[in-house]
Every structure is written in structure tokens, then in C-alpha cells.
């Protein structure tokens, strides 16, 4: 598999970043869903939020890298079999996926730094608070984070179902174009 995208398929960098982001988004959602019900005496009470925040900060960097790569590299052309509606809805969905990811990560950061403290990332480094203490910021950012993550996961699931529909029903190369070369049709 080549590193850069071609007009026919995604390269290793674009595809790798896509699947890394997808895995992190669903993993963070699952961990977030799990950790909200933890009690103070649960062994994961402090560890789960630390992991969630750390991966969230790293994911932000990966998403920024992915956006830069997307603008610097070519994008595979839509397949001839795709309707105008499919092409337009895919573009709109991608814009909203990026907006929701950035909203979820920014609001998560604001929740974590509402008291003026920074975010320790796996004890490797700290991202400082840029806001300081702002009254009720944690509550407002928490609501935004909650709804943005649910919308993100819902749209990402719809995105995945559309890819499966193209693969199973339409029998086109939409999904194969972002899979590793060894998994594509011969």
C-alpha cells in the first residue's frame, strides 16, 4: 500500500489515521459511558478519567494531523456508481464528523480544566488550562460534551453502516478503498 492517497484509493497514512481515530472515538465513548457510574471506592474511579483525558488529548493531536494530511494530500474521487446525493451526503457527514470530534475534545478539555488545573497526559507532559477558573464552565462544557459525543458516535455508526451498505448491497469498492491492500478484492 502506498503512503499517499491516489484518485482510486486511500494511502497508508490516510487509511491508518482514519482507523486510529475510529478506534479511539469508540473506545473513548465506551470508557466514558463506563466511568460515569463509578463510585469513589472503585479502583477505576481515578484511573479511567486519567486514561480518558490522556487519550482525548492525544486524539486531538491526531485529528489535527489528519486534517492537515487531508488538506495536503489528494482525496480519492467518488466512484462513478455513486449518486449526487451519496456524494453530497458523504461530504456533509465528513464535515460534521470533524466538527463533532473537535467539539467533543474541546469540551472535554474544558471540563477537565474548569478548576484552572492542567491535564496530565499519561504522566508524559501536561497541557495547561487556557481559561483559568470560570464559574459553571464544567457544567456547560459537560452538557456540550455529552451531546457532542452521542451525536458523534451516532453519525460515525451511520457512516459505518453506509460503508457496509456499499460493500454488501451495492457491491462497490467504497469500503475496500480504505482497507489495507491485502484485504481488498483481487
Amino acid at each position: 500500500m502506498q503512503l499517499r492517497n491516489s484518485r482510486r484509493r486511500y494511502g497508508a497514512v490516510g487509511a491508518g489515521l482514519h482507523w486510529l481515530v475510529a478506534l479511539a472515538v469508540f473506545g473513548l465513548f465506551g470508557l466514558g459511558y463506563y466511568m460515569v457510574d463509578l463510585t469513589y471506592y472503585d479502583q477505576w474511579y481515578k484511573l479511567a478519567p486519567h486514561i480518558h483525558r490522556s487519550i482525548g488529548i492525544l486524539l486531538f493531536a491526531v485529528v489535527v494531523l489528519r486534517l492537515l494530511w487531508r488538506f495536503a494530500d489528494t482525496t480519492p474521487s467518488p466512484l462513478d456508481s455513486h449518486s449526487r446525493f451519496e456524494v453530497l451526503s458523504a461530504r456533509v457527514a465528513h464535515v460534521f464528523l470533524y466538527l463533532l470530534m473537535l467539539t467533543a475534545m474541546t469540551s472535554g478539555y474544558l471540563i477537565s480544566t474548569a478548576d484552572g488545573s492542567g491535564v496530565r497526559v499519561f504522566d508524559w507532559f501536561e497541557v495547561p488550562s487556557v481559561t483559568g477558573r470560570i464559574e459553571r464552565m464544567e457544567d456547560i462544557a459537560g452538557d456540550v460534551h455529552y451531546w457532542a459525543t452521542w451525536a458523534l458516535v451516532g453519525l460515525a455508526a451511520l457512516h459505518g453502516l453506509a460503508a457496509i451498505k456499499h460493500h454488501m448491497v451495492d457491491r462497490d469498492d467504497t469500503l475496500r478503498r480504505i482497507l489495507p491492500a491485502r484485504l481488498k478484492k483481487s
Side-chain angles (χ1 to χ4, degrees), residues 62-83:
V62 170
V63 169
V64 169
L65 175 65
R66 184 166 182 225
L67 280 167
L68 292 172
W69 184 260
R70 186 175 176 103
F71 290 121
D73 199 9
T74 188
T75 302
S77 302
L79 297 176
D80 292 337
S81 60
H82 291 172
S83 70

Side-chain angles (χ1 to χ4, degrees), residues 68-182:
L68 292 172
W69 184 260
R70 186 175 176 103
F71 290 121
D73 199 9
T74 188
T75 302
S77 302
L79 297 176
D80 292 337
S81 60
H82 291 172
S83 70
R84 277 181 80 189
F85 172 76
E86 288 172 320
V87 172
L88 180 61
S89 61
R91 287 186 179 144
V92 168
H94 280 101
V95 167
F96 276 100
L97 284 167
Y98 281 111
L99 287 174
L100 287 167
M101 279 189 287
L102 293 171
T103 300
M105 291 180 289
T106 302
S107 59
Y109 166 80
L110 292 174
I111 294 166
S112 299
T113 60
D115 64 355
S117 63
V119 177
R120 293 284 312 152
V121 179
F122 291 122
D123 295 326
W124 298 337
F125 60 92
E126 183 171 314
V127 178
S129 172
V130 295
T131 60
R133 293 177 189 250
I134 297 178
E135 191 172 323
R136 296 206 56 238
M137 182 172 70
E138 186 174 11
D139 297 330
I140 295 166
D143 289 342
V144 170
H145 190 70
Y146 177 86
W147 291 110
T149 55
W150 274 102
L152 173 59
V153 167
L155 185 56
L158 187 63
H159 176 67
L161 288 172
I164 292 168
K165 176 255 186 200
H166 278 285
H167 188 74
M168 303 297 284
V169 176
D170 300 341
R171 300 208 178 273
D172 67 25
D173 286 336
T174 300
L175 181 58
R176 284 186 202 94
R177 296 183 338 154
I178 201 155
L179 292 174
R182 68 179 178 277

